């Protein structure tokens, strides 16, 4: 019966760690139907405070997503794509006993397990990353769309890191162009 009570918390924990929270903003006057070609904006990308390897991973994922949307890479593009990243350490503290209404424990004595001591709090430290993807009108040199994705980063292995980067980019670009997700 204890395991049945733990299942909702486990599902919540797994989905909260694996999800990417996405927000977007865009210029309502921009005609996104006119944007058929893209190129990367190197001066902006060079300023991103991440390794060159991660920049390559992000750029490959962006390119794959935009090509899948029917755009083409060009030396004379309609839009320029830039990116920026931020990260910060986060700590989650969960009171496992309070979440299930177990209260103070059972019986008398000094034993900390009996009084909700040891094992009561679950502390989880992780790095939260934020990826900004900017779409800039190449002719006007104006930002026309920005997607922001935030979530836990995976640092365990190169493969996991690459999968996580692809998820970030795919989730963010699922909102580009504006209105595309409603079709």
């Amino acid at each position: 019966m204890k395991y049945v009570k733990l299942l909702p918390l486990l599902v919540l924990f797994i989905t909260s760690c694996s999800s990417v929270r996405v927000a977007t903003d865009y210029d309502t006057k921009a005609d996104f139907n006119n944007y058929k070609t893209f190129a990367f904006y190197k001066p902006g990308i060079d300023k991103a405070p991440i390794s060159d390897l991660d920049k390559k991973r992000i750029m490959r994922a962006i390119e794959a997503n935009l090509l899948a949307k029917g755009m083409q890479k060009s030396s004379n593009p309609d839009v320029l794509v830039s990116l920026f990243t931020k990260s910060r350490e986060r700590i989650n503290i969960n009171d496992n006993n309070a979440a299930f209404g177990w209260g103070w424990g059972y019986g008398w004595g000094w034993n900390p397990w009996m009084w909700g001591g040891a094992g009561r709090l679950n502390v989880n430290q992780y790095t939260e990353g934020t990826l900004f993807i900017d779409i800039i009108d190449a002719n006007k040199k104006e930002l026309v769309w920005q997607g922001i994705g935030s979530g836990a980063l995976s640092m365990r292995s190169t493969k996991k890191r690459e999968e996580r980067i692809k998820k970030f980019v795919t989730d963010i670009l699922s909102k580009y162009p504006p209105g595309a997700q409603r079709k």
Side-chain angles (χ1 to χ4, degrees):
M1 191 61 157
K2 282 185 184 179
Y3 298 113
V4 173
K5 289 182 181 180
L6 290 175
L7 188 59
L9 182 64
L10 182 62
V11 170
L12 177 66
F13 179 74
I14 290 171
T15 57
S16 68
C17 288
S18 66
S19 67
V20 177
R21 294 174 311 280
V22 175
T24 62
D25 195 9
Y26 62 94
D27 180 351
T28 57
K29 305 287 186 213
D31 185 0
F32 290 89
N33 293 321
N34 291 335
Y35 301 139
K36 308 275 187 222
T37 59
F38 72 94
F40 289 103
Y41 183 63
K42 186 168 173 29
I45 294 170
D46 286 345
K47 292 178 186 176
I50 56 173
S51 75
D52 287 345
L53 292 172
D54 281 342
K55 287 177 189 176
K56 286 180 186 180
R57 291 178 181 113
I58 293 169
M59 290 169 52
R60 281 189 214 124
I62 291 171
E63 184 173 335
N65 272 269
L66 293 178
L67 291 174
K69 291 177 180 290
M71 295 186 75
Q72 297 296 314
K73 198 168 180 185
S74 171
S75 58
N76 187 23
D78 300 322
V79 294
L80 299 169
V81 180
S82 189
L83 62 96
F84 186 77
T85 62
K86 291 192 309 187
S87 67
R88 64 182 177 168
E89 293 302 311
R90 301 287 299 215
I91 298 175
N92 278 343
I93 300 173
N94 296 312
D95 185 347
N96 296 330
N97 289 342
F100 299 108
W102 291 344
W104 287 100
Y106 319 98
W108 301 95
W110 61 270
N111 190 337
W113 291 279
M114 300 297 262
W115 287 95
R120 179 176 175 181
L121 294 178
N122 180 22
V123 179
N124 178 27
Q125 183 177 358
Y126 64 96
T127 302
E128 179 182 69
T130 303
L131 172 62
F132 297 78
I133 299 176
D134 294 338
I135 306 287
I136 302 161
D137 184 299
N139 292 327
K140 297 177 185 176
K141 304 292 190 244
E142 294 176 354
L143 181 67
V144 292
W145 185 89
Q146 183 177 61
I148 305 166
S150 296
L153 296 176
S154 176
M155 306 293 187
R156 292 178 291 225
S157 71
T158 301
K159 183 178 179 184
K160 292 278 187 195
R161 186 180 196 92
E162 191 155 338
E163 288 171 6
R164 191 69 177 146
I165 286 172
K166 285 179 185 177
K167 172 124 178 79
F168 263 72
V169 171
T170 299
D171 287 2
I172 295 167
L173 288 179
S174 71
K175 308 285 186 189
Y176 180 84
Q181 61 275 14
R182 287 186 234 134
K183 294 179 182 178

